[in-house]
């Protein structure tokens, strides 16, 4: 009879000890990578197909800011380029006459040189022919220089117009509102038809498939936690309802901080703790801000 009492007492003590053991090592809340999308151009929001709770894909177009003025400026610059192109000089045609005169003068110079050498013509005629060749050569050089300067100026103007067109095309692309990442729309700040200015927030999207549990551990626990470590994560739905997930330690803070009032750690007397992030693949039940636990 005495053995029965001893066994019963031992069982109660073991049950009491087991009841005091926590099923988790740290707690925290779930969060996701949130991105706020801003307007990159000013204008009326012609279309905006975004609603809170929508799932959108990366680079998916969800809105369009009025592009009329930008498009018209591109057309205007295109016409300006055509004008510059038409003003380009045809160098060969414009210097052809002077080049022909120079060739004729050089022939005359050569003929007079032969005549002077034979004594059949005075040297003054050769001097005049040589002078004429020099004058025509200088005229030809001046024409070529002027035409090259004109051509260089027009080419620079064409290059400037090309750069301006590319700038406008970039503005045109930025009028198309796209999602920088896939995820779920958390908040919507504007409506279709509103005028938006550059830098105005349009909506906020979060990657809710890849969630993180931000928890806090003490320095004593820190020695047992490392990056890439596989852990167990529990999403707490209240009323003792929990769901277990596989998690991976994705980040460990390099500095300590005071224990947040809303967070319970394994050692509640610790004033300084380290934040850790546990990556969890969401099955659709984890929500941002939900309470969670982690077992290392």
């Amino acid at each position: 009879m005495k053995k029965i009492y001893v066994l019963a007492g031992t069982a109660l003590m073991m049950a009491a000890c087991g009841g005091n053991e926590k099923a988790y090592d740290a707690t925290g809340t779930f969060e996701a990578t949130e991105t706020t999308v801003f307007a990159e151009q000013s204008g009326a929001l012609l279309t905006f197909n975004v609603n809170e709770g929508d799932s959108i894909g990366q680079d998916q177009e969800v809105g369009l800011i009025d592009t009329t003025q930008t498009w018209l400026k591109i057309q205007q610059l295109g016409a300006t380029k055509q004008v510059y192109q038409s003003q380009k000089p045809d160098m060969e045609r414009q210097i052809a006459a002077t080049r022909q005169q120079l060739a004729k003068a050089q022939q005359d110079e050569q003929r007079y040189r032969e005549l002077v050498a034979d004594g059949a013509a005075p040297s003054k005629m050769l001097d005049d022919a040589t002078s004429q060749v020099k004058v025509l050569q200088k005229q030809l050089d001046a024409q070529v220089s002027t035409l090259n300067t004109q051509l260089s100026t027009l080419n620079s103007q064409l290059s400037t117009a090309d750069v301006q067109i590319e700038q406008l095309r970039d503005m045109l692309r930025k009028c198309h509102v796209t999602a920088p990442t896939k995820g779920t729309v958390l908040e919507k700040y504007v409506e279709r038809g509103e005028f938006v200015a550059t830098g105005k927030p349009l909506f906020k999207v979060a990657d809710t498939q890849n969630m993180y549990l931000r928890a806090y551990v003490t320095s004593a626990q820190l020695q047992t936690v490392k990056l890439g470590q596989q852990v167990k994560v529990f999403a707490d739905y209240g009323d003792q309802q929990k769901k277990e997930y596989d998690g991976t330690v994705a980040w460990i803070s390099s500095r300590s901080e005071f224990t947040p009032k809303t967070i319970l750690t394994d050692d509640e007397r610790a004033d300084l703790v380290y934040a850790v992030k546990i990556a969890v693949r969401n099955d659709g039940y984890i929500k941002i801000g939900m309470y969670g636990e982690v077992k290392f």
Side-chain angles (χ1 to χ4, degrees), residues 83-124:
V83 172
Y84 291 151
Q85 195 69 38
S86 66
Q87 291 176 348
K88 279 188 174 183
D90 187 338
M91 293 186 61
E92 290 303 320
R93 285 188 177 183
Q94 294 195 31
I95 66 175
T98 306
R99 195 186 294 278
Q100 187 174 4
Q101 290 174 0
L102 177 61
K104 177 67 170 57
Q106 289 172 337
Q107 289 176 355
D108 292 343
E109 181 189 25
Q110 182 60 31
R111 185 171 64 254
Y112 285 132
R113 180 173 285 108
E114 293 174 354
L115 291 173
V116 169
D118 293 339
S123 59
K124 184 178 183 305

Side-chain angles (χ1 to χ4, degrees), residues 135-188:
V135 169
L136 289 172
Q137 183 64 56
K138 289 181 179 179
Q139 288 179 355
L140 180 62
D141 293 342
Q143 281 183 314
V144 171
S145 176
T146 300
L147 291 172
N148 280 331
T149 300
Q150 184 180 354
L151 187 62
S152 177
T153 301
L154 289 170
N155 284 334
S156 297
Q157 291 174 326
L158 282 168
S159 297
T160 301
D162 285 334
V163 171
Q164 292 175 337
I165 289 174
E166 286 303 315
Q167 289 175 333
L168 290 170
R169 285 176 177 167
D170 181 63
M171 294 171 62
L172 203 62
R173 285 190 293 269
K174 290 178 178 178
C175 287
H176 296 263
V177 182
T178 58
T181 181
K182 67 176 182 178
T184 302
V185 178
L186 300 181
E187 297 181 46
K188 177 181 178 181

Side-chain angles (χ1 to χ4, degrees), residues 102-290:
L102 177 61
K104 177 67 170 57
Q106 289 172 337
Q107 289 176 355
D108 292 343
E109 181 189 25
Q110 182 60 31
R111 185 171 64 254
Y112 285 132
R113 180 173 285 108
E114 293 174 354
L115 291 173
V116 169
D118 293 339
S123 59
K124 184 178 183 305
M125 296 183 67
L126 176 60
D127 293 340
D128 292 342
T130 301
S131 177
Q132 181 66 17
V133 168
K134 290 180 179 179
V135 169
L136 289 172
Q137 183 64 56
K138 289 181 179 179
Q139 288 179 355
L140 180 62
D141 293 342
Q143 281 183 314
V144 171
S145 176
T146 300
L147 291 172
N148 280 331
T149 300
Q150 184 180 354
L151 187 62
S152 177
T153 301
L154 289 170
N155 284 334
S156 297
Q157 291 174 326
L158 282 168
S159 297
T160 301
D162 285 334
V163 171
Q164 292 175 337
I165 289 174
E166 286 303 315
Q167 289 175 333
L168 290 170
R169 285 176 177 167
D170 181 63
M171 294 171 62
L172 203 62
R173 285 190 293 269
K174 290 178 178 178
C175 287
H176 296 263
V177 182
T178 58
T181 181
K182 67 176 182 178
T184 302
V185 178
L186 300 181
E187 297 181 46
K188 177 181 178 181
Y189 305 116
V190 295
E191 296 292 340
R192 183 175 66 86
E194 290 187 30
F195 182 89
V196 296
T198 302
K200 182 179 178 63
L202 303 178
F203 65 97
K204 181 186 291 185
V205 62
D207 183 4
T208 54
Q209 290 186 351
N210 301 294
M211 302 282 287
Y212 295 93
L213 175 67
R214 177 184 286 269
Y216 294 86
V217 298
T218 63
S219 56
Q221 292 175 299
L222 194 60
Q223 61 183 347
T224 63
V225 181
K226 63 180 180 180
L227 290 176
Q229 180 179 345
Q230 300 298 312
V231 299
K232 291 297 180 182
V233 174
F234 303 92
D236 193 336
Y237 297 95
D239 295 332
Q240 302 299 320
Q241 297 183 17
K242 298 180 182 180
K243 190 169 184 179
E244 181 179 328
Y245 296 89
D246 292 325
T248 305
V249 179
W251 172 78
I252 303 174
S253 176
S254 58
R255 62 176 61 185
S256 62
E257 56 187 286
F258 288 102
T259 309
K261 293 182 180 179
T262 57
I263 300 299
L264 298 177
T265 63
D266 189 52
D267 184 3
E268 296 179 2
R269 296 172 299 175
D271 290 330
L272 295 177
V273 292
Y274 294 84
V276 297
K277 275 179 149 183
I278 315 297
V280 180
R281 183 73 175 178
N282 189 8
D283 59 358
Y285 291 98
I286 302 177
K287 306 300 180 184
I288 297 175
M290 182 181 287

Side-chain angles (χ1 to χ4, degrees), residues 66-96:
D66 188 9
T67 62
T68 304
Q69 293 303 316
T70 304
W71 183 82
L72 289 175
K73 288 179 181 178
I74 291 176
Q75 301 304 308
Q76 182 181 19
L77 281 172
T80 302
K81 280 187 61 179
Q82 291 181 352
V83 172
Y84 291 151
Q85 195 69 38
S86 66
Q87 291 176 348
K88 279 188 174 183
D90 187 338
M91 293 186 61
E92 290 303 320
R93 285 188 177 183
Q94 294 195 31
I95 66 175

